[in-house]
Amino acid sequence: MTRPDLIPAPVTVECRADSPGYFSLDERTSLHAGPGTEGAARWLRATVGAATGLALSEGEGPHAIVLRIKPELEGELGAEGYRLSTDRSVEDVAVLIEAAAPAGVFWGAQTLRQLLGPDAYRRAPVRPGQDWDLPHLTVEDKPRFGWRGMMLDVSRHFLHKDGVLRYLDLMAAHKLNVFHFHLTDDQGWRIEIKRHPRLTEVGSWRERTKFGHRASPLWEEKPHGGFYTQDDIREIVAYARERHIRVVPEIDIPGHSQATITAYPELGNTDVIDTATLGVWDNWGVSPNVLAPSDTVLRFYEGVFEELLELFPEDVSPFVHIGGDECPKEQWKQSAYAQERMRELGLKDEDELQSWFIRHFDRWLTERGRRLIGWDEILEGGLAEGAAVSSWRGYAGGIAAAQAGHDVVMCPEQQVYLDHRQDGGADEPMPIGFVRTLQDVYRFEPVPPQLTEEEAAHVLGTQANLWTEVMESQARVDYQAFPRLSAFAEVAWSALPPADERDFADFERRMGAHYARLEALGVDFRPPGGPLPWQKRPGVLGRPIEGAPPNV
């Protein structure tokens, strides 16, 4: 029997040499959920049960799928590892999934779904009477990293709630476990804050939108916007929790705040610019309009974060992201108020003023049992004591943070910014930034070789980022994300060899089976041969210059 085409690749797969055949799930198949595995059982009935048409009713015996928690497995497999067996010599049941904790059982259930074939990813049976064959094997598996993330920017282009839930399912199918939810930026505020209603009344929509790179002469001359109500957020968080996905909400400060200042002009640098004339930004890049370093701003955002922490409980959201990136200092340099504030605080320059913002909210969040994380610019002016770093401007920020004893999530734009184009061909829709192929992503190594073993322990994991300036629809997000997110998932989960020794040919072969799964899920991925006619955007300018910074 050939090794099954699983993505991400598991640690070990043992196939029985004396039993090369298959057996099938059928109407006799039951599902027995041991204590602590009820969530995975519900998920299996809702997904695999729907696709196969099998009831998977509660029951034990030789035809059962058995889910079991065995705490003693933690030393061997960790909290997220699992053992899946369809080998009756292990136990006389159809399928046995064991793990030390519920998350591991859930990831094992994801592997079971892959073993059943692409039709197991549909929402209803497509071939009545179909055989649901499973090979005789044992899979033992555990993740390399505890942080296996995907960031989704819903500020530049809003994705409705159902689209967010769909992406949580796609993450779960790839064993990704951290959803970085980029909720605010210059181009729109996307979360309801009841004490500050103008954030959504005013800040959640813009009058028009640049179509393509900001060098493009094209505009979409219609309002764009939307936001998530607090109940929407609660639903998203609950949905993520059921899939063992943590959610990291991001509220950007002190830069990327033009939408906020448009809603509440008093939060901007009013002695430099008439903030009452601003609108939610309709272009891309970095807005010069940043928050004023005032107590009014601090109290405003404390109120925002108070509501945020209620919506994102600590068990799902131990980290809160505060952005901290791309904060132009020109308005602070021109502002008499900002300069006086720097003197009062004993700060030597504007970098330290930005650090003052970050340190304030690091203390504030720490007092409430949360951890602050920000983009690597928060290193400038001195890093807050308890803060973690998202290293996006290459490896340097992550190396510096880890060497200083801070935790790091590696997400360098040169490797894992999935808004960057996938090919150098002229047909790529709105090409942006660097060419980063499927193979490039597969060869990404999250742990820099410069780190010692002790320093490398501060690398919590890795994350792929989807910035949506040129992704005007769910289909466009799909195209940029897949299949590269599948390669990234294997990098984040699997114990791969060094980058230059990785077997991309084998991964590409396994992707042949995985494309069929993505098709069954309705993912509008980029085909291996290039974009389909309806995926192209002829005449819409991107930034197709290899090596050029994407913000140029």
Side-chain angles (χ1 to χ4, degrees):
M1 187 187 74
T2 59
R3 185 182 175 97
D5 295 327
L6 299 175
I7 290 178
V11 175
T12 63
V13 178
E14 294 183 4
C15 303
R16 281 184 61 186
D18 63 336
S19 181
Y22 295 79
F23 72 93
S24 291
L25 305 184
D26 56 29
E27 65 279 355
R28 298 171 298 174
T29 302
S30 59
L31 176 58
H32 176 66
T37 71
E38 296 84 359
R42 284 193 298 271
W43 180 85
L44 278 168
R45 290 189 175 104
T47 54
V48 172
T52 61
L54 302 177
L56 302 180
S57 55
E58 172 61 36
E60 301 184 63
H63 300 288
I65 299 170
V66 174
L67 312 180
R68 182 181 298 154
I69 300 289
K70 291 184 69 175
E72 60 268 28
L73 290 175
E74 183 165 3
E76 180 182 353
L77 298 175
E80 291 188 278
Y82 64 90
R83 180 183 295 135
L84 182 156
S85 178
T86 60
D87 182 349
R88 291 190 185 277
S89 66
V90 174
E91 189 164 328
D92 189 21
V93 296
V95 180
L96 176 64
I97 300 176
E98 296 180 308
V105 173
F106 182 73
W107 303 132
Q110 295 289 346
T111 297
L112 174 60
R113 192 185 193 187
Q114 286 200 24
L115 291 170
L116 287 168
D119 284 348
Y121 288 80
R122 298 190 179 274
R123 297 185 182 183
V126 294
R127 296 177 181 82
Q130 177 177 355
D131 291 331
W132 296 99
D133 294 333
L134 284 171
H136 296 296
L137 51 71
T138 298
V139 177
E140 286 200 1
D141 203 7
K142 62 180 179 180
R144 179 184 180 191
F145 293 110
W147 186 301
R148 307 180 301 281
M150 186 199 81
M151 189 226 67
L152 182 62
D153 165 24
V154 295
S155 179
R156 276 51 178 266
H157 278 102
F158 180 65
L159 189 66
H160 288 275
K161 180 197 69 177
D162 284 351
V164 175
L165 299 178
R166 173 178 176 268
Y167 258 85
L168 291 171
D169 279 330
L170 291 173
M171 289 178 63
H174 290 82
K175 300 184 174 74
L176 297 173
N177 70 341
V178 177
F179 177 52
H180 179 166
F181 203 6
H182 185 80
L183 289 162
T184 73
D185 217 298
D186 298 308
Q187 295 85 1
W189 182 283
R190 303 293 179 221
I191 180 172
E192 178 187 24
I193 301 297
K194 292 186 181 296
R195 72 187 71 187
H196 301 308
R198 285 177 59 83
L199 287 172
T200 47
E201 291 171 359
V202 174
S204 69
W205 66 277
R206 55 184 181 262
E207 293 186 355
R208 64 175 187 169
T209 298
K210 174 66 72 172
F211 197 46
H213 186 267
R214 65 175 178 273
S216 167
L218 303 178
W219 295 87
E220 188 177 38
E221 297 286 353
K222 67 177 184 181
H224 176 86
F227 66 92
Y228 308 103
T229 68
Q230 294 201 350
D231 280 346
D232 290 339
I233 294 293
R234 292 184 180 99
E235 181 181 358
I236 289 166
V237 168
Y239 202 80
R241 180 189 283 114
E242 290 172 352
R243 285 149 184 78
H244 299 277
I245 294 173
R246 287 173 283 157
V247 184
V248 179
E250 180 178 354
I251 303 293
D252 248 314
I253 56 172
H256 286 292
S257 298
Q258 184 163 326
T260 313
I261 297 167
T262 299
Y264 291 93
E266 66 272 19
L267 302 179
N269 294 284
T270 56
D271 61 344
V272 174
I273 184 175
D274 182 2
T275 55
T277 65
L278 293 177
V280 176
W281 212 20
D282 55 14
N283 210 331
W284 313 130
V286 180
S287 167
N289 296 297
V290 302
L291 297 169
S294 67
D295 289 340
T296 298
V297 167
L298 297 183
R299 300 294 88 75
F300 181 94
Y301 275 90
E302 286 171 0
V304 168
F305 284 121
E306 281 177 4
E307 292 194 27
L308 192 83
L309 297 189
E310 292 178 3
L311 297 170
F312 294 89
E314 185 178 359
D315 68 315
V316 178
S317 301
F319 284 90
V320 174
H321 209 291
I322 50 75
D325 62 316
E326 296 179 326
C327 179
K329 311 297 193 299
E330 284 74 17
Q331 289 186 355
W332 290 347
K333 291 177 181 178
Q334 298 169 22
S335 167
Y337 174 82
Q339 293 300 309
E340 177 60 27
R341 194 70 196 265
M342 287 168 55
R343 285 189 289 272
E344 290 176 1
L345 296 168
L347 306 176
K348 69 179 181 181
D349 58 23
E350 288 75 17
D351 283 344
E352 287 196 358
L353 184 58
Q354 176 171 336
S355 180
W356 168 79
F357 262 106
I358 305 305
R359 289 175 184 273
H360 175 86
F361 285 102
D362 177 60
R363 290 191 299 271
W364 192 92
L365 288 166
T366 299
E367 289 169 357
R368 288 154 181 82
R370 305 300 177 94
R371 289 191 65 190
L372 179 147
I373 186 168
W375 303 108
D376 55 53
E377 285 94 330
I378 69 173
L379 290 163
E380 298 167 3
L383 183 57
E385 183 178 349
V389 172
S390 301
S391 186
W392 76 275
R393 295 180 300 176
Y395 286 95
I399 292 170
Q403 290 176 338
H406 292 275
D407 289 338
V408 179
V409 176
M410 296 303 300
C411 49
E413 68 163 328
Q414 296 88 345
Q415 280 78 27
V416 289
Y417 269 38
L418 302 186
D419 47 312
H420 289 203
R421 55 202 170 111
Q422 304 182 63
D423 189 86
D427 286 341
E428 289 303 306
M430 299 189 228
I432 297 294
F434 312 99
V435 173
R436 288 298 170 261
T437 65
L438 182 66
Q439 184 170 357
D440 290 332
V441 174
Y442 191 67
R443 296 197 187 284
F444 165 57
E445 172 49 51
V447 179
Q450 297 93 326
L451 298 180
T452 66
E453 184 176 349
E454 182 180 357
E455 292 163 351
H458 285 290
V459 178
L460 300 176
T462 184
Q463 180 172 293
N465 295 338
L466 284 159
W467 300 102
T468 61
E469 287 93 336
V470 296
M471 302 180 212
E472 79 282 3
S473 66
Q474 177 175 282
R476 283 286 292 119
V477 177
D478 281 2
Y479 180 92
Q480 293 301 130
F482 291 100
R484 292 182 297 180
L485 192 65
S486 302
F488 172 80
E490 184 150 310
V491 169
W493 176 279
S494 303
L496 296 176
D500 58 355
E501 299 176 18
R502 291 178 189 170
D503 190 348
F504 179 70
D506 177 70
F507 174 77
E508 203 168 28
R509 179 191 62 77
R510 285 181 285 121
M511 276 302 301
H514 201 63
Y515 283 123
R517 299 178 192 124
L518 296 177
E519 285 179 348
L521 285 166
V523 177
D524 202 2
F525 58 85
R526 182 189 188 276
L532 299 169
W534 57 86
Q535 293 174 322
K536 302 174 184 179
R537 296 293 185 275
V540 182
L541 291 178
R543 187 68 178 173
I545 302 175
E546 175 63 18
N551 288 325
V552 171

